[in-house]
Amino acid sequence: MFSTNSRDLRFLHGVKRDEHRMRLSKSCIGREEGEAVLGVLEREFLGMGEDVRQFENLLAEFFGREAVCVNTGTAGLHLAIEACGFDPGSEILVPSLTYVASFQAITAAGMTPVACDVLGSTLTLDPVDAERRLTKQTKAIMPVHYAGGLGDLTALYSLAERCNLRVIEDAAHAFGSTYRGSRVGSFGDTAVFSFDGIKNITSGEGGCVVSSDAGLLERIKDARLLGVEKDTDKRFSGKRSWRFDVHHQGYRYHMSNIMAAIGIVQLGRFPQFAEARRRLAGIYQRRLSSLKGLLLVELDLAAVVPHIFPVRILDSRREQVADRLSAEGIQTGFHYQPNHLLTYFSDARRGEYPVTDAVFGEELTLPLHPDLRDEDVDRVCDIVAEVLDGE
Ligand SMILES: Cc1ncc(COP(=O)(O)O)c(C=O)c1O
């Protein structure tokens, strides 16, 4: 048992700022998250119990429908696909320009990813390109909400309706974003969120699935606990099943109380996180929009809570900009290596990917997280402008 005297949260006092280094993204953790974790440790019930139940209830209020928590976003995608019950090898349309997690989840569920191209404006799944890659085996579309933006989700849902496809939204980047006035996850078929360390909210690692399909959520609840039927209800009342049956493949994908305790605090802080992300992204947009040689990715900050800030640097000057920022102690990233170029997913390649291939050579992600100050973003913009204007 912890004694309260032994609490030492010195490591959590204030924001630890390294003036010589600007991180691309980071967890924003304060004293409250530390206290919440200590609370779980003191109760000595670390697994899945009351805190997870409470986090799920708060998420259900946030989305306006039931949310099922899992231990990663990837696990959520895997379970959501598997719970659809498609025939093995069925095809799922997915943008090639996504984190490898989307592709791995599809193959983990025994399905075939079919890589699609993206729209140049938003870097989200191109509905026309997706339709071109449809076959008799296509059973679902997985739009990826790149940077938090939704792209042409209406066209993707209408394609799904016309062709009788499920839609599993990879909403890892889009916690808190809205589309046409509705919060992502509150409408549509199924959406999966990630709460890993750098996402719009974090639970350390973690994720959740929301869906209009109550049966799918019930199957996921069992599958996250090794397929043990109705174990969720027992865990939430501090018990577990000793005698049970199993009908389906299951996984150890449930969320722990430690993770949920962090998530609960982060959800409470989300309005401030969202405001900071939008404000900082707004500075980038204002400062960079008129720069020659740079293209912004379309993000409507009135609707979107941006998870990353991607730009396209034209004329082969991306490395030059990245190197200069790095020399100034500023981290940058690349989102993403196209999956159709990865050895394991080379079969997902069907024809050409002109936009994705172009973006691969141009995309650069600039620092964005709620602990950045306005002057940090101004400094990044000054340096980018200096490199691009300097020739
Ligand atoms: C687009 C996308 N999909 C899925 C995931 C997987 O989420 P997790 O890291 O929680 O497994 C991520 C995480 O970075 C992501 O960026």
Side-chain angles (χ1 to χ4, degrees), residues 71-77 97-102 144-146 170-173 192-199 205-207 307 335-336:
N71 61 357
T72 62
T74 310
L77 289 169
L97 195 74
T98 181
Y99 192 39
V100 68
S102 322
V144 176
H145 303 328
Y146 186 91
D170 179 339
H173 290 197
V192 180
F193 295 85
S194 162
F195 304 140
D196 74 23
I198 59 165
K199 290 299 191 291
E205 295 285 355
H307 165 54
H335 291 84
Y336 292 98

Side-chain angles (χ1 to χ4, degrees), residues 3-50:
S3 103
T4 37
N5 294 338
S6 71
R7 281 190 183 179
D8 185 351
L9 292 178
R10 267 177 305 176
F11 67 102
L12 288 170
H13 278 294
V15 175
K16 301 153 287 295
R17 192 178 289 286
D18 178 352
E19 297 296 341
H20 303 292
R21 193 163 149 262
M22 197 189 299
R23 289 168 67 178
L24 173 65
S25 51
K26 69 187 251 320
S27 311
C28 296
I29 297 294
R31 214 188 151 80
E32 255 189 287
E33 283 85 350
E35 294 277 6
V37 169
L38 283 180
V40 175
L41 297 179
E42 278 177 346
R43 278 185 274 124
E44 297 183 315
F45 187 158
L46 313 191
M48 178 168 149
E50 174 57 26

Side-chain angles (χ1 to χ4, degrees), residues 95 97 117-127 144-153 156 173 179 295-300 304 308 310 312 335 355 359 363:
L97 195 74
D117 211 353
V118 289
L119 296 167
S121 50
T122 54
L123 308 191
T124 53
L125 185 56
D126 177 345
V144 176
H145 303 328
Y146 186 91
L150 281 299
D152 199 348
L153 198 58
L156 292 169
H173 290 197
Y179 183 70
L295 278 181
L296 292 174
V297 174
E298 236 173 65
L299 279 177
D300 171 10
V304 163
I308 52 173
R312 292 171 69 178
H335 291 84
V355 181
V359 169
E363 195 277 334

Side-chain angles (χ1 to χ4, degrees), residues 355-377:
V355 181
T356 301
D357 290 341
V359 169
F360 181 38
E362 296 169 350
E363 195 277 334
L364 184 71
T365 307
L366 303 175
L368 183 66
H369 58 76
D371 283 340
L372 285 176
R373 300 166 297 193
D374 293 9
E375 52 266 41
D376 295 324
V377 172

